[in-house]
Amino acid sequence: MGKAVSFKWMKQLFFILICATFFLLGCKKENEGKINNNIQTKQDSLSQSQERKEINKIIVQEDFYDFIAMFSKKRAFQLERVQFPLAIQVLDDDFELQEIAITQEKYTFLNFILPDDFLEYKQNIFIDAKHAKIEQRGLNNGYMIDYFFENKNGKWYLQSWIDASP
């Protein structure tokens, strides 16, 4: 009878162990599923965050001609788009270029929009992705100024000018 009890007890123990194993494996798979879902959620969140950063990196480039039109019409806009003190070069009495700094208080409003019948000088505009230059050349009067602009983060700013007019 001792062997029968022992065998019956071993069967019960074996059955309990089998049940416990299945139970633990089921819990493990359930936990793995939850862990995988958490990881996927975090990856999705990270992907969305990176996509938002990429979208923020896409900078809308301001059209130079639209910028010049606004720059020439609105004084407040012009003052926002000039980096003061503005280092410019002008001819001195010996016809040598000298650099001077213009503060916001001494700055005068610039207008690059010329009427069709304007005959004092002609204006040429050269643009690349980061820089632009407006050349103004007098018609038989010696007027010669180059204005330099820079594109920073999609917005144009007046950087400097060289006035080589006598």
Side-chain angles (χ1 to χ4, degrees):
M1 203 175 239
K3 285 187 181 183
V5 172
S6 179
F7 181 70
K8 189 176 180 183
W9 183 79
M10 283 181 57
K11 269 173 95 177
Q12 288 177 345
L13 182 61
F14 182 72
F15 178 75
I16 291 172
L17 286 174
I18 297 282
C19 288
T21 303
F22 283 122
F23 177 76
L24 290 175
L25 287 176
C27 288
K28 182 178 177 187
K29 288 198 185 266
E30 187 178 312
N31 285 339
E32 283 177 359
K34 287 180 182 177
I35 290 170
N36 287 339
N37 284 343
N38 283 342
I39 290 171
Q40 187 62 43
T41 301
K42 287 180 182 179
Q43 286 175 339
D44 290 345
S45 177
L46 183 59
S47 292
Q48 289 171 354
S49 174
Q50 288 172 337
E51 286 174 14
R52 274 184 249 129
K53 286 179 184 176
E54 291 299 318
I55 289 170
N56 289 339
K57 284 182 185 178
I58 297 172
I59 298 171
V60 176
Q61 295 294 322
E62 180 176 53
D63 179 74
F64 185 75
Y65 292 101
D66 292 341
F67 159 75
I68 284 299
M70 184 69 77
F71 191 86
S72 297
K73 290 178 186 173
K74 299 194 178 211
R75 180 172 176 74
F77 180 80
Q78 193 168 124
L79 291 174
E80 289 173 8
R81 297 299 187 91
V82 176
Q83 298 183 344
F84 293 104
L86 185 64
I88 67 166
Q89 293 181 20
V90 295
L91 287 180
D92 63 13
D93 293 337
D94 297 325
F95 298 102
E96 299 286 330
L97 284 174
Q98 79 175 41
E99 189 170 300
I100 61 171
I102 295 180
T103 62
Q104 186 170 348
E105 295 76 32
K106 296 200 180 213
Y107 179 80
T108 58
F109 184 73
L110 300 173
N111 183 3
F112 296 103
I113 306 299
L114 304 177
D116 292 336
D117 60 347
F118 191 75
L119 299 175
E120 291 183 39
Y121 58 84
K122 66 179 181 165
Q123 184 168 275
N124 296 309
I125 299 176
F126 304 93
I127 308 167
D128 65 31
K130 285 291 202 185
H131 300 92
K133 178 170 87 169
I134 297 179
E135 290 181 346
Q136 293 178 339
R137 299 294 182 261
L139 302 173
N140 300 318
N141 60 14
Y143 188 83
M144 191 166 101
I145 302 178
D146 293 337
Y147 296 92
F148 300 95
F149 298 85
E150 185 176 13
N151 189 315
K152 292 183 179 178
N153 297 323
K155 294 181 179 180
W156 289 100
Y157 294 87
L158 176 64
Q159 290 297 124
S160 181
W161 72 73
I162 299 173
D163 185 348
S165 306

